[in-house]
Structures are given as structure tokens and as C-alpha cells.
């Protein structure tokens, strides 16, 4: 019961806001201050549970005690009846008794003998009669010689027991026949044990029953007190109406926000998950009560959700989105009861940030080219001022030829226009950063049916990483791009002369969130290579990394996997990341 209540409270309190908890506790304190008489203040959940358990225990003990007393009384009656029957049979088998009954007890020996037998057997009385009911012995001597008021019951030759309401009072009675040598019933022996003896032993039984009942009631009350304290501790003193209010607030909050929320107890079991979290994590099964390991595959996403990767606003990649996750423990009343994880979908925002960064880079490149063009215009103006019109005309022709050759050369070798435009833009960015970005002479990419968006995402991320890798070093800074395609594959190679990648970090660099670079504004680091590998593996391609000095990334993609129709739905979100 305690475990179930703890799970319910973990669900409620992990989802409830601190303000809701404060309101609940303040309501409870106000009600206690204004509660009036003690009997009304006792109407709390813990008190109702305590009183209910004590009432059940008391009723059970009373009913059980009464039944036990009745059973003991019936058992004692049966035992004393059996004792009386055995005593009656023993007396009936005494030869002196049989002989005296046969001759009508002319010598008056039965009464004295019966008195001695009473002292020896512990019976209250022994009455001996003939078959007609004529008494030969009786505790009251005046009854001797008188007949019984009821008929003799042993004429059938069998012993009888019962409760006798005779002249001496109620008694446990046993009757046995006196049989002569021919087997004929000639008399009856009636032995009785008065009720006061049975009552005395029953009182002793009742004392034992009462002691046992008192012990059971005390033990039950102690257990009820402990259970009440446990319930009060688990519910943090909240009453049923307050718990119901928290549940209503939780439902309204969970289904009214556009953030994913996952609540887990102290053992890592999922106690709540809203619809947005199911959508972001792709959870379709019933997650309540399951371990996080059963719902999320191994990797950085599981580590972040479980709180094993510390930090705030941690970025993680799923198959469909870029998420920002925050893991926080939930502590109520100084005790940890679990944790809460919030998930935000940053796919669209991250796409805007990356596009803005790309536009900013192009703007800076254009600004640098503007300075260069200004200098060239100054040269032209100077030549014209000096009257060197032929030199000015030749200088202008050379400038136009260089620009046309560069653009036309790329356009002739790279078929997809958007890919050629991307490479041309990266050339401008590299020139602004004083990096020698070159496209190898053997590069040639037709692939008219290839998905250009995928190629742009891969090439753009690899070139950006290479430019960042060489930007901080002194001396020559070179980045080389090679693009090749044949009938079956597209091959992309990006290499640089930077510090390279250590052999130990070759696999680690593809983990989302891993980066050796400092954050750049709001843009998330450590996403590019993770996205590249995910794109490559999804399209059944291969990616090879050569460690330093100088990094080299070689990617091969099957042309059949670059069908733009088949991958259109997934590429939009993946490019955004």
C-alpha cells in the first residue's frame, strides 16, 4: 500500500507546480487554525484511516471473542457431559449397586455408597433408581423412595447425556443403564455436574480469551498507528481533496503545454508522460510503470533523460527532431521522490539560427568583397585619371574573366545548381577567413536525380568543420573538397591541414552534443557531425575518418538512396538541424 501511495504522490507532486504545492499546504494550515473543536480537526485522511482500522479491529475482536466464548461454553458442556456419562457408566458397573437394585436396596447401602462415590469422582450428585424410576439415592435424602418426575430414559439399554434442569439446578448430566446378568435393564444411574463448576472453568477460559483479545487489539492499534504515520508521511500531510485538486491541476497543465514532460520515481520508473513527450520521443506503448531503459534506446538521449549527463538545456538528437532537455530532481519535505524531465522541440528555431548564421557569413563575405571591389574601382579610377584607358580596359577584362571562370568552372563540373551555389558561397567565406578552399580538378558531379538537399547538408557541415579546424592555426590554411559520382555512388572527400582528430576520438566526434569548440551565441554545438552520420547511415552509405595530423572525411552514398521523392519528408527536419 505504501509503495502505491508513493507512486501516486510522485506522479502528482512531480507534475504539480511549486505554487500549487504551496497553496495546498497553506489551505491545510488555514483549515487547522480555523478548524474549531478537536473532533472536527481529527477529520483528516490519517485520522479517518486510524479510526477506521481501530473500528474494524475492535469489531473483529469483539465478535471473535463472543464466538470464542460460545464455542468454549459448548466445548465445556460437551466435556462435562462426557465426564458425567463416564462416571454414570462406572457406577452402573459396580456389582454392589447392581445387587442392591435387584433386591430393592433392602439393606440401604446405595445412598452411603453414592455419597462416597461423589467425593471420589467430583460429581455434584449421583441418583440411582430402578427401572420404574424409584430413587435409591439422592443428594436430598427426602427424595429417596420417591419416583422420578420424568420417565427412565435408559430403558433402551444405551447411555444418554444432556443438560438437566433438576431440583438442584442446571447441570451437565450423564445417564447409564444398570444391567443384570441376562442383559435386562433393571435400573438407572444418573450423574450430574452442576453449572457452577462449568461456569468457574468458563470464567478462566474467558479471562484467557479477554487477555488474548486485548493483546491482539493493542498490537493492531500499534500497527494502525504506524500505518497512519506512513500514510501521512507518504502523502506529505495532504488531504484527499487537496490530492484531487493537485490531480486536476496536473491534468490541466500537462495537456495544456507544448513541452514534453516525463516524471520518474526514485527507482527510475516512469510515472507520467504527456502527449508531447510521447510525440517527441516516439513512444507508442504504455509507458507508465516501465523503466526508462525499456522505452528509450541506449545512447546520449537515455543518459540525458536519466540525469547521468549533468547540465542545463542539453541538446539531443532523435530521429526526427532536435530536443533541449532538462533533468531536475524532485524533493518534497526534504526527501527525494523522483525526477522530472522537460523536453522542448528546437528543430525549427535551430534551423532559423543556422540559416541566419549562414546568411551572416555570406554577408561578411560580401562585405569583404565589397572592400576588394572598392580597391579595384580605385585602381580603375586612377588609371583613367592618368589617361591609361587601354590599361584600364585590360584590367577590367581580366577581373571579369577571373570571376566568370571561377563560377562557370564550378557550374560545368557540379550539376545540381544548389550544390554549386553552396560551394561557391563557401569559397567566398573561406577567402574572407584567409583559408585556401579548393575543389580538386578531378571533381565532377552530375547526379541529376540526386537529392541535392542531402548533399548540401553533408557538404556544408563538413566544410564548416574543416574551416573551423584550420582557422586558429598560423601558417598556410588549406581545405580541399572532392566530389565524384559514377553509375552507383556519390563520393565526397573533405580534408584539411589542421590539427586533425585523435584516434581515440574518431567515434566520439559523431555523438550529438560532442564538440571541442566554444558555444556560438544561441547556436548549438556538436550537432553537425552527428547529423552527417545519421544521414549517411540512413541512406546505407559509409563514412571513413582518418585521424590527424590533418582530418580527412570520406563519404560514399548509393545513388539509389538519394531519391528526392523518397526522402523529402525527412530531409526538411534533418536539414534544419
Amino acid at each position: 500500500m505504501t509503495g502505491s501511495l508513493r507512486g501516486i504522490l510522485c506522479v502528482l507532486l512531480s507534475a504539480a507546480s511549486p505554487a500549487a504545492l504551496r497553496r495546498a499546504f497553506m489551505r491545510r494550515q488555514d483549515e487547522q487554525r480555523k478548524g474549531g473543536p478537536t473532533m472536527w480537526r481529527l477529520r483528516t485522511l490519517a485520522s479517518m484511516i486510524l479510526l477506521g482500522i481501530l473500528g474494524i479491529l475492535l469489531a473483529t475482536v469483539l465478535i471473535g471473542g463472543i464466538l470464542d466464548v460460545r464455542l468454549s461454553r459448548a466445548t465445556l458442556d460437551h466435556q462435562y457431559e462426557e465426564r458425567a456419562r463416564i462416571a454414570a457408566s462406572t457406577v452402573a458397573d459396580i456389582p454392589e449397586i447392581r445387587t442392591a437394585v435387584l433386591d430393592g436396596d433392602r439393606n440401604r447401602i446405595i445412598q452411603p455408597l453414592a455419597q462416597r462415590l461423589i467425593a471420589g469422582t467430583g460429581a455434584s450428585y449421583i441418583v440411582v433408581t430402578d427401572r420404574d424410576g424409584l430413587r435409591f439415592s439422592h443428594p436430598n435424602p427426602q427424595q429417596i423412595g420417591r419416583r422420578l418426575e420424568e420417565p427412565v430414559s435408559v430403558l433402551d439399554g444405551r447411555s444418554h447425556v444432556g443438560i438437566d434442569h433438576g431440583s438442584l439446578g442446571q447441570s451437565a448430566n450423564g445417564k447409564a443403564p444398570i444391567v443384570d446378568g441376562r442383559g435386562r435393564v433393571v435400573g438407572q444411574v444418573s450423574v450430574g455436574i452442576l453449572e457452577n463448576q462449568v461456569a468457574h472453568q468458563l470464567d478462566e477460559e474467558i479471562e484467557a480469551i479477554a487477555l488474548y483479545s486485548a493483546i491482539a487489539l493493542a498490537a493492531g492499534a500499534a500497527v494502525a498507528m504506524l500505518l497512519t504515520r506512513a500514510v501521512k508521511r507518504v502523502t506529505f500531510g495532504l488531504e484527499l481533496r487537496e490530492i484531487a485538486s493537485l490531480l486536476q491541476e496536473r491534468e490541466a497543465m500537462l495537456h495544456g503545454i507544448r513541452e514534453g514532460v516525463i516524471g520518474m520515481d526514485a527507482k527510475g520508473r516512469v510515472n507520467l508522460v504527456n502527449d508531447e513527450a510521447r510525440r517527441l520521443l516516439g513512444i507508442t506503448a504504455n509507458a507508465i510503470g516501465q523503466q526508462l531503459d525499456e522505452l528509450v534506446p541506449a545512447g546520449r538521449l537515455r543518459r540525458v533523460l536519466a540525469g547521468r549527463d549533468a547540465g542545463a538545456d542539453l541538446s539531443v538528437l532523435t530521429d526526427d527532431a532536435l530536443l533541449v532537455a532538462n533533468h531536475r530532481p524532485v524533493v518534497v519535505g526534504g526527501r527525494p521522490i523522483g525526477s522530472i524531465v522537460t523536453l522542448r522541440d528546437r528543430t525549427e528555431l535551430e534551423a532559423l539560427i543556422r540559416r541566419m548564421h549562414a546568411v551572416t557569413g555570406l554577408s561578411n563575405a560580401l562585405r569583404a568583397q565589397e572592400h576588394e571591389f572598392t580597391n579595384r574601382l580605385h585602381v580603375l579610377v586612377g588609371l583613367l585619371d592618368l589617361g591609361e584607358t587601354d590599361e584600364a580596359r585590360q584590367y577590367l577584362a581580366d577581373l571579369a574573366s577571373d570571376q566568370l571562370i571561377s563560377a562557370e568552372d564550378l557550374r560545368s563540373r557540379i550539376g545540381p545548381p544548389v550544390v554549386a551555389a553552396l560551394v561557391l558561397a563557401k569559397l567566398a567565406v573561406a577567402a574572407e577567413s584567409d583559408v585556401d578552399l579548393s575543389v580538386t580538378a578531378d571533381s565532377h558531379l552530375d547526379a541529376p536525380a540526386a537529392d541535392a538537399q542531402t548533399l548540401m547538408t553533408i557538404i556544408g557541415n563538413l566544410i564548416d568543420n574543416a574551416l573551423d579546424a584550420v582557422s586558429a592555426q598560423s601558417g598556410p590554411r588549406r581545405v580541399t573538397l572532392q566530389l565524384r559520382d559514377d553509375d552507383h555512388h556519390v563520393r565526397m572527400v573533405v580534408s584539411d591541414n589542421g590539427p586533425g582528430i585523435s584516434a581515440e576520438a574518431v567515434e566520439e566526434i559523431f555523438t550529438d552534443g560532442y564538440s571541442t569548440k566554444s558555444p556560438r551565441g544561441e547556436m548549438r554545438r556538436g550537432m553537425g557531425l552527428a547529423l552527417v552520420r545519421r544521414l549517411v547511415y540512413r541512406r546505407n552509405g559509409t563514412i571513413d575518418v582518418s585521424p590527424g595530423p590533418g582530418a580527412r572525411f570520406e563519404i560514399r552514398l548509393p545513388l539509389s538512396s538519394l531519391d528526392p521523392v523518397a526522402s523529402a519528408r525527412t530531409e526538411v527536419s534533418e536539414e534544419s538541424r
Side-chain angles (χ1 to χ4, degrees), residues 370-389:
E370 178 187 1
H371 290 293
E372 184 178 355
F373 289 150
T374 301
N375 292 332
R376 292 174 178 176
L377 288 175
H378 288 164
V379 172
L380 285 173
V381 171
L383 289 174
L384 292 175
D385 288 342
L386 293 174
E388 301 289 341
T389 56

Side-chain angles (χ1 to χ4, degrees), residues 412-415 440-446 482-486:
S412 63
R413 291 192 291 159
I414 300 177
T440 60
D442 60 344
S443 293
H444 189 275
L445 180 64
D446 287 332
Q482 183 186 42
L483 294 175
R484 298 283 296 174
D485 64 337
D486 53 30

Side-chain angles (χ1 to χ4, degrees), residues 136 181 190 541:
F136 297 125
S190 176

Side-chain angles (χ1 to χ4, degrees), residues 211-223:
L211 179 60
Y212 170 78
S213 299
I215 294 174
L217 185 60
V223 173

Side-chain angles (χ1 to χ4, degrees), residues 173-463:
N173 182 264
K175 298 176 181 179
I178 302 174
V179 183
D180 61 7
R182 292 179 295 177
R184 188 172 66 94
V185 177
V186 296
Q188 171 183 275
V189 176
S190 176
V191 176
I193 301 175
L194 291 178
E195 180 66 24
N196 55 5
Q197 296 187 34
V198 180
H200 177 71
Q201 187 168 350
L202 182 61
D203 290 340
E204 295 179 355
E205 295 282 345
I206 291 175
E207 290 179 1
I209 293 172
L211 179 60
Y212 170 78
S213 299
I215 294 174
L217 185 60
V223 173
M225 289 291 294
L226 294 176
L227 180 60
T228 301
R229 290 184 180 180
V231 170
K232 190 174 182 180
R233 184 174 64 255
V234 170
T235 59
F236 302 98
L238 296 176
E239 301 304 320
L240 291 177
R241 59 184 178 277
E242 295 168 339
I243 295 175
S245 176
L246 288 178
L247 179 60
Q248 294 174 351
E249 293 181 10
R250 187 207 73 165
E251 291 297 321
M253 181 187 68
L254 287 181
H255 297 286
I257 61 176
R258 293 197 61 186
E259 288 191 0
V261 179
I262 301 176
M264 293 169 285
D265 61 15
K267 295 183 179 180
R269 291 189 296 264
V270 176
N271 279 335
L272 70 89
V273 54
N274 67 348
D275 295 338
E276 184 67 8
R278 291 180 179 274
R279 183 187 70 83
L280 294 176
L281 298 179
I283 298 175
T284 57
N286 183 19
I288 304 302
Q290 297 192 39
Q291 293 288 337
L292 189 63
D293 297 348
E294 301 174 2
L295 301 174
V296 180
R300 186 166 183 269
L301 177 60
R302 183 196 291 179
R303 296 198 306 271
V304 170
L305 295 181
R308 291 193 288 269
D309 285 1
D313 291 340
L314 297 179
S315 300
V316 290
L317 276 175
T318 66
D319 290 339
D320 300 310
L322 168 65
L323 305 180
V324 177
N326 282 284
H327 178 280
R328 292 190 302 171
V330 177
V331 179
V332 178
R335 294 184 292 112
I337 64 171
S339 58
I340 193 78
V341 180
T342 58
L343 301 170
R344 288 175 293 173
D345 190 356
R346 289 288 295 265
T347 305
E348 296 181 0
L349 180 60
E350 192 70 17
L352 292 176
I353 293 175
R354 287 181 177 271
R355 288 175 181 174
M356 184 176 64
H357 176 72
V359 171
T360 302
L362 289 175
S363 299
N364 293 334
L366 291 175
R367 190 177 298 110
Q369 290 182 356
E370 178 187 1
H371 290 293
E372 184 178 355
F373 289 150
T374 301
N375 292 332
R376 292 174 178 176
L377 288 175
H378 288 164
V379 172
L380 285 173
V381 171
L383 289 174
L384 292 175
D385 288 342
L386 293 174
E388 301 289 341
T389 56
D390 293 337
E391 289 292 333
R393 185 180 298 107
Q394 183 62 38
Y395 180 69
L396 185 59
D398 292 340
L399 290 178
S401 176
D402 289 342
Q403 295 296 325
L404 290 173
I405 290 174
S406 177
E408 290 180 358
D409 178 61
L410 281 177
R411 187 68 185 88
S412 63
R413 291 192 291 159
I414 300 177
V418 291
V419 177
L422 173 68
V423 175
L424 188 61
K426 296 301 181 183
L427 287 172
V429 173
E432 166 64 14
S433 303
D434 194 22
V435 177
D436 180 17
L437 173 60
S438 61
V439 181
T440 60
D442 60 344
S443 293
H444 189 275
L445 180 64
D446 287 332
D451 183 9
Q453 192 69 40
T454 299
L455 298 178
M456 289 176 59
T457 302
I458 296 175
I459 295 172
N461 277 291
L462 292 180
I463 292 179

